[in-house]
Amino acid sequence: MNAALARERAGWLAEHILPCEPALRDWLRRRLSLRQDVDDVIQETYAILAGMADVSHILQPKAYVYSVAHSVVLQQLRRAQVVSIEAVAEIDRVAIIGDEVSPERMASSRQELARIGALIESLPDKCRQAFVLRRVEGYSQREIAERMQISENTVEKHICKGIRVLMDSMKRDDDVMQKSSERFAAEGARHARRR
């Protein structure tokens, strides 16, 4: 990034993003598990925004910064070696704040929901049943144990296994998409040099 672009980006961040930081910090504190550090999420969010090639497409900076922070939280959870039930519950509580949802975001959300639905369907039967009863239908572990006629400990193991499988699958999919995107960008750069 050249010096002029760096100054321009710093000005944009100071004008549009810094005023949102106190509210963003409060929002994150209310939603993050103890393992996640608000300062780390904020810092990574700023790094992503500062490193963007262009910000002219961002019409609602406040909504965008919340969206980027939400993405950072999800990436941290995906990278975690052990994902607790409480951490996954945090995903449910982290909602994107914005004045208006774009058609692109809505389509992307629908695709992500369909992807997650397919991943849940691919879980082993008992694991899927416990996961859906807990995470989708909201039953307590005790209620699930009674319904499935297994111990609460077994219910927890099924749910944890489901979460691990889902997170691993999502991480693999994200890695494949990232590599594909990098390959596409490299091919585009090679093509542009040939001209």
Side-chain angles (χ1 to χ4, degrees), residues 160-184:
C160 286
K161 179 181 179 182
I163 291 168
R164 239 186 335 272
V165 168
L166 292 174
M167 293 303 223
D168 288 347
S169 296
M170 292 172 78
K171 183 179 181 335
R172 274 193 308 276
D173 289 353
D174 287 347
D175 290 347
V176 167
M177 288 177 68
Q178 178 68 29
K179 287 177 184 174
S180 180
S181 175
E182 289 170 359
R183 200 173 325 118
F184 181 74

PDB file of all heavy atoms in Angstrom, residues 160-184:
ATOM      1  N   CYS A 160     -21.079 -32.344  21.321  1.00  0.00           N
ATOM      2  CA  CYS A 160     -19.692 -31.896  21.098  1.00  0.00           C
ATOM      3  C   CYS A 160     -19.126 -32.479  19.810  1.00  0.00           C
ATOM      4  O   CYS A 160     -18.467 -31.774  19.037  1.00  0.00           O
ATOM      5  CB  CYS A 160     -18.808 -32.281  22.278  1.00  0.00           C
ATOM      6  SG  CYS A 160     -19.086 -31.281  23.742  1.00  0.00           S
ATOM      7  N   LYS A 161     -19.415 -33.760  19.561  1.00  0.00           N
ATOM      8  CA  LYS A 161     -18.942 -34.382  18.323  1.00  0.00           C
ATOM      9  C   LYS A 161     -19.561 -33.681  17.118  1.00  0.00           C
ATOM     10  O   LYS A 161     -18.875 -33.390  16.141  1.00  0.00           O
ATOM     11  CB  LYS A 161     -19.301 -35.865  18.300  1.00  0.00           C
ATOM     12  CG  LYS A 161     -18.868 -36.561  17.023  1.00  0.00           C
ATOM     13  CD  LYS A 161     -19.254 -38.021  17.015  1.00  0.00           C
ATOM     14  CE  LYS A 161     -18.827 -38.670  15.703  1.00  0.00           C
ATOM     15  NZ  LYS A 161     -19.227 -40.066  15.654  1.00  0.00           N
ATOM     16  N   GLY A 162     -20.854 -33.391  17.200  1.00  0.00           N
ATOM     17  CA  GLY A 162     -21.534 -32.694  16.109  1.00  0.00           C
ATOM     18  C   GLY A 162     -20.912 -31.342  15.833  1.00  0.00           C
ATOM     19  O   GLY A 162     -20.670 -30.969  14.684  1.00  0.00           O
ATOM     20  N   ILE A 163     -20.640 -30.607  16.897  1.00  0.00           N
ATOM     21  CA  ILE A 163     -20.032 -29.282  16.752  1.00  0.00           C
ATOM     22  C   ILE A 163     -18.646 -29.396  16.129  1.00  0.00           C
ATOM     23  O   ILE A 163     -18.299 -28.650  15.208  1.00  0.00           O
ATOM     24  CB  ILE A 163     -19.971 -28.566  18.112  1.00  0.00           C
ATOM     25  CG1 ILE A 163     -21.389 -28.213  18.570  1.00  0.00           C
ATOM     26  CG2 ILE A 163     -19.090 -27.319  18.044  1.00  0.00           C
ATOM     27  CD1 ILE A 163     -21.477 -27.775  20.008  1.00  0.00           C
ATOM     28  N   ARG A 164     -17.860 -30.354  16.613  1.00  0.00           N
ATOM     29  CA  ARG A 164     -16.511 -30.547  16.072  1.00  0.00           C
ATOM     30  C   ARG A 164     -16.557 -30.887  14.589  1.00  0.00           C
ATOM     31  O   ARG A 164     -15.815 -30.317  13.787  1.00  0.00           O
ATOM     32  CB  ARG A 164     -15.795 -31.658  16.851  1.00  0.00           C
ATOM     33  CG  ARG A 164     -14.525 -31.217  17.505  1.00  0.00           C
ATOM     34  CD  ARG A 164     -13.726 -32.334  18.153  1.00  0.00           C
ATOM     35  NE  ARG A 164     -14.437 -33.512  18.581  1.00  0.00           N
ATOM     36  CZ  ARG A 164     -15.012 -33.683  19.774  1.00  0.00           C
ATOM     37  NH1 ARG A 164     -14.981 -32.726  20.648  1.00  0.00           N
ATOM     38  NH2 ARG A 164     -15.614 -34.807  20.076  1.00  0.00           N
ATOM     39  N   VAL A 165     -17.446 -31.799  14.215  1.00  0.00           N
ATOM     40  CA  VAL A 165     -17.556 -32.194  12.805  1.00  0.00           C
ATOM     41  C   VAL A 165     -17.977 -30.995  11.951  1.00  0.00           C
ATOM     42  O   VAL A 165     -17.408 -30.748  10.884  1.00  0.00           O
ATOM     43  CB  VAL A 165     -18.559 -33.369  12.653  1.00  0.00           C
ATOM     44  CG1 VAL A 165     -18.916 -33.599  11.190  1.00  0.00           C
ATOM     45  CG2 VAL A 165     -17.988 -34.634  13.270  1.00  0.00           C
ATOM     46  N   LEU A 166     -18.963 -30.240  12.426  1.00  0.00           N
ATOM     47  CA  LEU A 166     -19.426 -29.066  11.684  1.00  0.00           C
ATOM     48  C   LEU A 166     -18.321 -28.034  11.532  1.00  0.00           C
ATOM     49  O   LEU A 166     -18.102 -27.503  10.439  1.00  0.00           O
ATOM     50  CB  LEU A 166     -20.636 -28.438  12.360  1.00  0.00           C
ATOM     51  CG  LEU A 166     -21.926 -29.270  12.336  1.00  0.00           C
ATOM     52  CD1 LEU A 166     -23.003 -28.589  13.168  1.00  0.00           C
ATOM     53  CD2 LEU A 166     -22.403 -29.495  10.924  1.00  0.00           C
ATOM     54  N   MET A 167     -17.630 -27.737  12.618  1.00  0.00           N
ATOM     55  CA  MET A 167     -16.560 -26.730  12.566  1.00  0.00           C
ATOM     56  C   MET A 167     -15.423 -27.181  11.649  1.00  0.00           C
ATOM     57  O   MET A 167     -14.903 -26.376  10.876  1.00  0.00           O
ATOM     58  CB  MET A 167     -16.028 -26.431  13.964  1.00  0.00           C
ATOM     59  CG  MET A 167     -17.039 -25.747  14.833  1.00  0.00           C
ATOM     60  SD  MET A 167     -17.616 -24.223  14.094  1.00  0.00           S
ATOM     61  CE  MET A 167     -17.618 -23.173  15.489  1.00  0.00           C
ATOM     62  N   ASP A 168     -15.042 -28.462  11.740  1.00  0.00           N
ATOM     63  CA  ASP A 168     -13.979 -28.968  10.866  1.00  0.00           C
ATOM     64  C   ASP A 168     -14.393 -28.880   9.394  1.00  0.00           C
ATOM     65  O   ASP A 168     -13.607 -28.480   8.543  1.00  0.00           O
ATOM     66  CB  ASP A 168     -13.636 -30.426  11.212  1.00  0.00           C
ATOM     67  CG  ASP A 168     -12.898 -30.567  12.532  1.00  0.00           C
ATOM     68  OD1 ASP A 168     -12.426 -29.539  13.067  1.00  0.00           O
ATOM     69  OD2 ASP A 168     -12.813 -31.704  13.041  1.00  0.00           O
ATOM     70  N   SER A 169     -15.640 -29.247   9.101  1.00  0.00           N
ATOM     71  CA  SER A 169     -16.132 -29.183   7.725  1.00  0.00           C
ATOM     72  C   SER A 169     -16.149 -27.746   7.221  1.00  0.00           C
ATOM     73  O   SER A 169     -15.760 -27.473   6.087  1.00  0.00           O
ATOM     74  CB  SER A 169     -17.538 -29.766   7.630  1.00  0.00           C
ATOM     75  OG  SER A 169     -17.522 -31.130   7.942  1.00  0.00           O
ATOM     76  N   MET A 170     -16.610 -26.824   8.073  1.00  0.00           N
ATOM     77  CA  MET A 170     -16.666 -25.419   7.672  1.00  0.00           C
ATOM     78  C   MET A 170     -15.265 -24.873   7.448  1.00  0.00           C
ATOM     79  O   MET A 170     -15.028 -24.127   6.506  1.00  0.00           O
ATOM     80  CB  MET A 170     -17.416 -24.606   8.725  1.00  0.00           C
ATOM     81  CG  MET A 170     -18.902 -24.964   8.762  1.00  0.00           C
ATOM     82  SD  MET A 170     -19.775 -24.196  10.115  1.00  0.00           S
ATOM     83  CE  MET A 170     -19.967 -22.546   9.458  1.00  0.00           C
ATOM     84  N   LYS A 171     -14.319 -25.261   8.306  1.00  0.00           N
ATOM     85  CA  LYS A 171     -12.936 -24.792   8.145  1.00  0.00           C
ATOM     86  C   LYS A 171     -12.351 -25.335   6.841  1.00  0.00           C
ATOM     87  O   LYS A 171     -11.720 -24.600   6.095  1.00  0.00           O
ATOM     88  CB  LYS A 171     -12.079 -25.222   9.325  1.00  0.00           C
ATOM     89  CG  LYS A 171     -10.652 -24.691   9.248  1.00  0.00           C
ATOM     90  CD  LYS A 171      -9.844 -25.122  10.435  1.00  0.00           C
ATOM     91  CE  LYS A 171      -8.430 -24.623  10.439  1.00  0.00           C
ATOM     92  NZ  LYS A 171      -7.797 -24.304   9.218  1.00  0.00           N
ATOM     93  N   ARG A 172     -12.592 -26.615   6.545  1.00  0.00           N
ATOM     94  CA  ARG A 172     -12.093 -27.197   5.290  1.00  0.00           C
ATOM     95  C   ARG A 172     -12.697 -26.469   4.090  1.00  0.00           C
ATOM     96  O   ARG A 172     -11.997 -26.126   3.151  1.00  0.00           O
ATOM     97  CB  ARG A 172     -12.424 -28.694   5.209  1.00  0.00           C
ATOM     98  CG  ARG A 172     -11.410 -29.586   5.876  1.00  0.00           C
ATOM     99  CD  ARG A 172     -11.606 -31.044   5.487  1.00  0.00           C
ATOM    100  NE  ARG A 172     -12.955 -31.538   5.682  1.00  0.00           N
ATOM    101  CZ  ARG A 172     -13.447 -31.994   6.831  1.00  0.00           C
ATOM    102  NH1 ARG A 172     -12.688 -32.021   7.901  1.00  0.00           N
ATOM    103  NH2 ARG A 172     -14.694 -32.437   6.908  1.00  0.00           N
ATOM    104  N   ASP A 173     -14.016 -26.218   4.145  1.00  0.00           N
ATOM    105  CA  ASP A 173     -14.677 -25.496   3.049  1.00  0.00           C
ATOM    106  C   ASP A 173     -14.093 -24.101   2.882  1.00  0.00           C
ATOM    107  O   ASP A 173     -13.862 -23.650   1.764  1.00  0.00           O
ATOM    108  CB  ASP A 173     -16.180 -25.390   3.295  1.00  0.00           C
ATOM    109  CG  ASP A 173     -16.898 -26.722   3.149  1.00  0.00           C
ATOM    110  OD1 ASP A 173     -16.254 -27.706   2.723  1.00  0.00           O
ATOM    111  OD2 ASP A 173     -18.100 -26.764   3.478  1.00  0.00           O
ATOM    112  N   ASP A 174     -13.849 -23.404   4.004  1.00  0.00           N
ATOM    113  CA  ASP A 174     -13.275 -22.064   3.941  1.00  0.00           C
ATOM    114  C   ASP A 174     -11.861 -22.102   3.352  1.00  0.00           C
ATOM    115  O   ASP A 174     -11.490 -21.240   2.570  1.00  0.00           O
ATOM    116  CB  ASP A 174     -13.241 -21.415   5.332  1.00  0.00           C
ATOM    117  CG  ASP A 174     -14.617 -20.998   5.809  1.00  0.00           C
ATOM    118  OD1 ASP A 174     -15.563 -20.970   4.990  1.00  0.00           O
ATOM    119  OD2 ASP A 174     -14.749 -20.704   7.012  1.00  0.00           O
ATOM    120  N   ASP A 175     -11.075 -23.119   3.756  1.00  0.00           N
ATOM    121  CA  ASP A 175      -9.715 -23.251   3.225  1.00  0.00           C
ATOM    122  C   ASP A 175      -9.750 -23.486   1.715  1.00  0.00           C
ATOM    123  O   ASP A 175      -8.963 -22.906   0.966  1.00  0.00           O
ATOM    124  CB  ASP A 175      -8.963 -24.397   3.916  1.00  0.00           C
ATOM    125  CG  ASP A 175      -8.618 -24.085   5.363  1.00  0.00           C
ATOM    126  OD1 ASP A 175      -8.732 -22.902   5.766  1.00  0.00           O
ATOM    127  OD2 ASP A 175      -8.257 -25.023   6.093  1.00  0.00           O
ATOM    128  N   VAL A 176     -10.671 -24.341   1.258  1.00  0.00           N
ATOM    129  CA  VAL A 176     -10.799 -24.624  -0.173  1.00  0.00           C
ATOM    130  C   VAL A 176     -11.193 -23.350  -0.916  1.00  0.00           C
ATOM    131  O   VAL A 176     -10.627 -23.025  -1.966  1.00  0.00           O
ATOM    132  CB  VAL A 176     -11.833 -25.747  -0.424  1.00  0.00           C
ATOM    133  CG1 VAL A 176     -12.204 -25.839  -1.891  1.00  0.00           C
ATOM    134  CG2 VAL A 176     -11.284 -27.079   0.068  1.00  0.00           C
ATOM    135  N   MET A 177     -12.159 -22.604  -0.352  1.00  0.00           N
ATOM    136  CA  MET A 177     -12.596 -21.363  -1.000  1.00  0.00           C
ATOM    137  C   MET A 177     -11.461 -20.349  -1.043  1.00  0.00           C
ATOM    138  O   MET A 177     -11.283 -19.648  -2.036  1.00  0.00           O
ATOM    139  CB  MET A 177     -13.809 -20.788  -0.264  1.00  0.00           C
ATOM    140  CG  MET A 177     -15.074 -21.596  -0.498  1.00  0.00           C
ATOM    141  SD  MET A 177     -16.473 -20.983   0.427  1.00  0.00           S
ATOM    142  CE  MET A 177     -16.755 -19.432  -0.394  1.00  0.00           C
ATOM    143  N   GLN A 178     -10.673 -20.259   0.032  1.00  0.00           N
ATOM    144  CA  GLN A 178      -9.550 -19.321   0.087  1.00  0.00           C
ATOM    145  C   GLN A 178      -8.511 -19.676  -0.970  1.00  0.00           C
ATOM    146  O   GLN A 178      -8.045 -18.813  -1.705  1.00  0.00           O
ATOM    147  CB  GLN A 178      -8.929 -19.333   1.488  1.00  0.00           C
ATOM    148  CG  GLN A 178      -7.726 -18.423   1.643  1.00  0.00           C
ATOM    149  CD  GLN A 178      -8.080 -16.957   1.565  1.00  0.00           C
ATOM    150  OE1 GLN A 178      -9.179 -16.575   1.914  1.00  0.00           O
ATOM    151  NE2 GLN A 178      -7.162 -16.146   1.119  1.00  0.00           N
ATOM    152  N   LYS A 179      -8.167 -20.961  -1.066  1.00  0.00           N
ATOM    153  CA  LYS A 179      -7.179 -21.394  -2.060  1.00  0.00           C
ATOM    154  C   LYS A 179      -7.693 -21.146  -3.466  1.00  0.00           C
ATOM    155  O   LYS A 179      -6.953 -20.718  -4.342  1.00  0.00           O
ATOM    156  CB  LYS A 179      -6.840 -22.870  -1.862  1.00  0.00           C
ATOM    157  CG  LYS A 179      -5.985 -23.124  -0.641  1.00  0.00           C
ATOM    158  CD  LYS A 179      -5.722 -24.582  -0.431  1.00  0.00           C
ATOM    159  CE  LYS A 179      -4.943 -24.782   0.858  1.00  0.00           C
ATOM    160  NZ  LYS A 179      -4.775 -26.183   1.211  1.00  0.00           N
ATOM    161  N   SER A 180      -8.980 -21.413  -3.674  1.00  0.00           N
ATOM    162  CA  SER A 180      -9.584 -21.181  -4.987  1.00  0.00           C
ATOM    163  C   SER A 180      -9.542 -19.696  -5.334  1.00  0.00           C
ATOM    164  O   SER A 180      -9.223 -19.315  -6.463  1.00  0.00           O
ATOM    165  CB  SER A 180     -11.018 -21.696  -4.979  1.00  0.00           C
ATOM    166  OG  SER A 180     -11.620 -21.490  -6.213  1.00  0.00           O
ATOM    167  N   SER A 181      -9.847 -18.857  -4.364  1.00  0.00           N
ATOM    168  CA  SER A 181      -9.824 -17.414  -4.573  1.00  0.00           C
ATOM    169  C   SER A 181      -8.407 -16.929  -4.876  1.00  0.00           C
ATOM    170  O   SER A 181      -8.199 -16.110  -5.767  1.00  0.00           O
ATOM    171  CB  SER A 181     -10.366 -16.712  -3.324  1.00  0.00           C
ATOM    172  OG  SER A 181     -10.261 -15.333  -3.451  1.00  0.00           O
ATOM    173  N   GLU A 182      -7.427 -17.458  -4.137  1.00  0.00           N
ATOM    174  CA  GLU A 182      -6.029 -17.079  -4.375  1.00  0.00           C
ATOM    175  C   GLU A 182      -5.582 -17.528  -5.771  1.00  0.00           C
ATOM    176  O   GLU A 182      -4.889 -16.798  -6.467  1.00  0.00           O
ATOM    177  CB  GLU A 182      -5.133 -17.694  -3.300  1.00  0.00           C
ATOM    178  CG  GLU A 182      -5.312 -17.055  -1.938  1.00  0.00           C
ATOM    179  CD  GLU A 182      -4.613 -17.819  -0.829  1.00  0.00           C
ATOM    180  OE1 GLU A 182      -3.983 -18.876  -1.104  1.00  0.00           O
ATOM    181  OE2 GLU A 182      -4.710 -17.361   0.322  1.00  0.00           O
ATOM    182  N   ARG A 183      -5.996 -18.732  -6.164  1.00  0.00           N
ATOM    183  CA  ARG A 183      -5.644 -19.245  -7.490  1.00  0.00           C
ATOM    184  C   ARG A 183      -6.263 -18.372  -8.574  1.00  0.00           C
ATOM    185  O   ARG A 183      -5.616 -18.018  -9.555  1.00  0.00           O
ATOM    186  CB  ARG A 183      -6.127 -20.692  -7.625  1.00  0.00           C
ATOM    187  CG  ARG A 183      -5.438 -21.456  -8.701  1.00  0.00           C
ATOM    188  CD  ARG A 183      -5.782 -22.952  -8.740  1.00  0.00           C
ATOM    189  NE  ARG A 183      -6.008 -23.542  -7.447  1.00  0.00           N
ATOM    190  CZ  ARG A 183      -7.166 -24.097  -7.059  1.00  0.00           C
ATOM    191  NH1 ARG A 183      -8.180 -24.157  -7.885  1.00  0.00           N
ATOM    192  NH2 ARG A 183      -7.301 -24.603  -5.867  1.00  0.00           N
ATOM    193  N   PHE A 184      -7.536 -17.995  -8.384  1.00  0.00           N
ATOM    194  CA  PHE A 184      -8.236 -17.145  -9.345  1.00  0.00           C
ATOM    195  C   PHE A 184      -7.538 -15.792  -9.463  1.00  0.00           C
ATOM    196  O   PHE A 184      -7.337 -15.281 -10.558  1.00  0.00           O
ATOM    197  CB  PHE A 184      -9.690 -16.968  -8.913  1.00  0.00           C
ATOM    198  CG  PHE A 184     -10.497 -16.129  -9.857  1.00  0.00           C
ATOM    199  CD1 PHE A 184     -10.906 -16.629 -11.083  1.00  0.00           C
ATOM    200  CD2 PHE A 184     -10.846 -14.832  -9.522  1.00  0.00           C
ATOM    201  CE1 PHE A 184     -11.645 -15.855 -11.957  1.00  0.00           C
ATOM    202  CE2 PHE A 184     -11.583 -14.048 -10.381  1.00  0.00           C
ATOM    203  CZ  PHE A 184     -11.986 -14.559 -11.608  1.00  0.00           C
TER     204      PHE A 184
END
